[in-house]
Amino acid sequence: NGGRRMLPASNTKLFSSTAAMDVLGPSYRFHTDVLATGPVHRGTLLGSLYLKGYGDPTALQSDYAGLAKQLAQSGVKRVIGDLVADDTYFDHVRLGDSWAWDDEPFYYSAQISALTLAPDTDYDSGTAIVESRPGTTVGAPVKLTLVPANGVLKLVSSAKTGAAGSSNTLSIEREHGTNVVRVTGSVPLGASVGREWVTVWEPQLYAADVFRRALAAEGISVGGRIKSAASPTTARVLARDESMTVGELMNPFMKLSNNMHAETLVKAMGAVAEAEGSWSAGLGVVTDYAQSLGVDTSTIRLSDGSGLSRKVNVTADSITDLLIAAQQEPWWQQWYDALPIAGNADRFTGGTLRSRMRNTPAANNLHGKTGSLTGVTSLSGYVTNADGRKLVFSMISNNYLVSPRSIEDAVGVTLASWSEQAAIPAVSTLRTAQTTCDLEWDKAC
């Protein structure tokens, strides 16, 4: 069934990541600029200050602090105009095709913007963290903190401190269409600090708010307000921050299966290759790259870069064709190393496979990409058999009620254990798994 179209979930990232390594290149860096058109007179910028993003999904609060420091070192102490957030490098379509409305508050479905902010070094761009602590007495309000501090998200809480040992029923969720975050439920007395990631509505304003606070920390006042607009083409650069390279980004992107990284890379490819930072332009670039590798793109459909869309359809054949051809690319080793590695407990080594296939021949051997949605699981990648031969495999399962992930792991272990001296029993085992569970697998042997 290798030619049957299936919903792949995050196996879609195999297409977007390889295209990004080729089209943008492993040395490509995103950047964020601070610009102005007005002159600086005795420390005062006579005009507005522009913060323009070029898609950096790794921008942290510390990066915006660095931009503020650069501006202070240039002699600016006051801005009489507005602070303008410019995210026009990408279009303003924030969410992907057919993304579910009820996923919107959660970190894996953040809005895509060319100007954004991540609260952590997982680089969960477009999100903030709500930290929660119980009060000092039963019935006291739960203590809440935003990380990073910002004035964009508004916490509205009725959460109380429960008795020691009681259930933690805390719920933290952003309301659709707003930046109001409702906090309800109970946290038991003496509980440790809780952390919940929430997405931000219009993340460019969030980034600008954090930047304004960084300016204030450097002693730079802004007289106007924060607003969204395009920077004038005549604006000059006063400060610049650059991201890690795309090659380096592959590690947090692929190990942790970060949806926002995938979509940012897709739009960046559209902007670089087609002068249009949109999903349609970027996905055209991704499809063209896959076709250049010999993938039959007439049999598949890519609707986003991450696989969060339920319109994506690919075949196991298309994935294994991609994996085989990618080995000839000059950047392949860096990309291969970024794939999750089965059974390795280190989070940035094992990634989404760190707890799977431990203490088996597949551990520290199988490099693969996982995929998971309700009713969808997939695992595709590379594994070396007992004879030292590298095998390429792809399994996709759809429309199940009980997850067949244990069968994926069993196939991975079988392939890692397989010796060509005993090929017939190994093939028999695989065929039994396929027949019994109706799973997709291809080119395993």
Side-chain angles (χ1 to χ4, degrees):
N1 295 319
R4 182 179 177 182
R5 277 182 292 276
M6 303 285 279
L7 187 62
S10 284
N11 266 212
T12 307
K13 295 181 175 81
L14 295 168
F15 293 87
S16 55
S17 62
T18 52
M21 288 290 275
D22 186 78
V23 175
L24 299 176
S27 62
Y28 180 89
R29 295 179 189 270
F30 299 93
H31 65 277
T32 305
D33 289 349
V34 178
L35 310 102
T37 55
V40 177
H41 180 67
R42 293 183 178 178
T44 299
L45 174 62
L46 304 177
S48 293
L49 190 66
Y50 298 86
L51 179 66
K52 183 167 184 176
Y54 289 84
D56 184 4
T58 69
L60 302 172
Q61 181 182 21
S62 59
D63 295 311
Y64 288 105
L67 285 169
K69 185 176 290 292
Q70 289 182 50
L71 196 63
Q73 290 173 343
S74 74
V76 175
K77 298 185 180 299
R78 182 182 173 217
V79 178
I80 64 169
D82 296 322
L83 176 55
V84 181
D86 179 356
D87 68 342
T88 58
Y89 190 64
F90 293 167
D91 67 7
H92 281 182
V93 180
R94 300 296 192 202
L95 299 171
D97 186 7
S98 78
W99 287 11
W101 69 268
D102 52 344
D103 281 335
E104 287 184 31
F106 305 113
Y107 78 97
Y108 56 82
S109 186
Q111 295 188 5
I112 305 304
S113 170
L115 178 63
T116 190
L117 172 66
D120 56 13
T121 52
D122 285 359
Y123 306 106
D124 293 310
S125 55
T127 72
I129 299 170
V130 180
E131 291 187 343
S132 57
R133 296 170 175 81
T136 55
T137 59
V138 173
V142 172
K143 300 173 184 178
L144 302 171
T145 306
L146 281 171
V147 179
N150 68 87
V152 173
L153 290 170
K154 181 181 179 182
L155 298 175
V156 178
S157 177
S158 61
K160 302 294 184 182
T161 303
S166 61
S167 297
N168 189 329
T169 61
L170 194 70
S171 172
I172 301 174
E173 191 167 320
R174 180 178 59 80
E175 289 184 349
H176 172 72
T178 76
N179 275 315
V180 174
V181 178
R182 299 281 179 187
V183 184
T184 59
S186 173
V187 176
L189 190 68
S192 58
V193 176
R195 306 180 92 209
E196 183 71 27
W197 279 249
V198 294
T199 57
V200 181
W201 191 267
E202 299 293 349
Q204 82 281 6
L205 299 177
Y206 166 47
D209 180 87
V210 170
F211 179 54
R212 183 170 186 160
R213 290 164 184 258
L215 291 171
E218 291 291 336
I220 301 173
S221 63
V222 179
R225 61 190 180 91
I226 293 174
K227 65 179 185 180
S228 292
S231 308
T233 57
T234 56
R236 67 189 186 280
V237 176
L238 302 179
R240 170 168 288 186
D241 177 74
E242 291 191 341
S243 73
M244 65 180 68
T245 66
V246 162
E248 292 165 338
L249 177 64
M250 286 295 133
N251 211 62
F253 168 30
M254 298 296 277
K255 296 292 188 188
L256 305 181
S257 199
N258 190 303
N259 292 339
M260 285 46 266
H261 296 175
E263 309 307 348
T264 296
L265 289 167
V266 166
K267 288 198 174 188
M269 282 184 273
V272 168
E274 302 293 338
E276 181 185 320
S278 68
W279 264 293
S280 59
L283 289 171
V285 173
V286 174
T287 301
D288 288 346
Y289 174 69
Q291 186 176 42
S292 76
L293 292 184
V295 174
D296 183 0
T297 56
S298 68
T299 65
I300 66 174
R301 176 175 59 227
L302 300 178
S303 301
D304 68 5
S306 66
L308 195 55
S309 170
R310 287 186 174 267
K311 287 186 178 179
V312 179
N313 276 154
V314 304
T315 66
D317 282 344
S318 68
I319 291 176
T320 50
D321 287 346
L322 180 81
L323 293 176
I324 290 168
Q327 294 176 102
Q328 304 306 313
E329 298 287 23
W331 41 258
W332 179 79
Q333 188 65 49
Q334 187 175 28
W335 178 82
Y336 172 76
D337 290 342
L339 291 171
I341 301 173
N344 190 306
D346 180 74
R347 192 161 174 266
F348 280 95
T349 304
T352 56
L353 285 173
R354 60 188 179 276
S355 62
R356 296 174 61 176
M357 294 171 268
R358 287 185 177 178
N359 304 312
T360 73
N364 291 304
N365 172 356
L366 186 150
H367 289 226
K369 184 71 201 75
T370 56
S372 180
L373 291 169
T374 300
V376 178
T377 186
S378 54
L379 179 64
S380 303
Y382 306 89
V383 61
T384 301
N385 75 358
D387 299 325
R389 181 182 176 190
K390 184 167 287 181
L391 308 175
V392 169
F393 69 95
S394 179
M395 292 180 61
I396 309 172
S397 305
N398 286 183
N399 301 321
Y400 56 80
L401 296 179
V402 178
S403 175
R405 189 168 293 170
S406 62
I407 306 299
E408 291 177 349
D409 290 356
V411 169
V413 173
T414 298
L415 295 176
S417 306
W418 177 55
S419 168
E420 295 184 61
Q421 302 305 312
I424 294 175
V427 172
S428 175
T429 300
L430 285 171
R431 286 176 176 164
T432 300
Q434 182 190 22
T435 302
T436 302
C437 301
D438 192 26
L439 299 179
E440 295 288 315
W441 68 279
D442 185 63
K443 299 183 182 174
C445 300

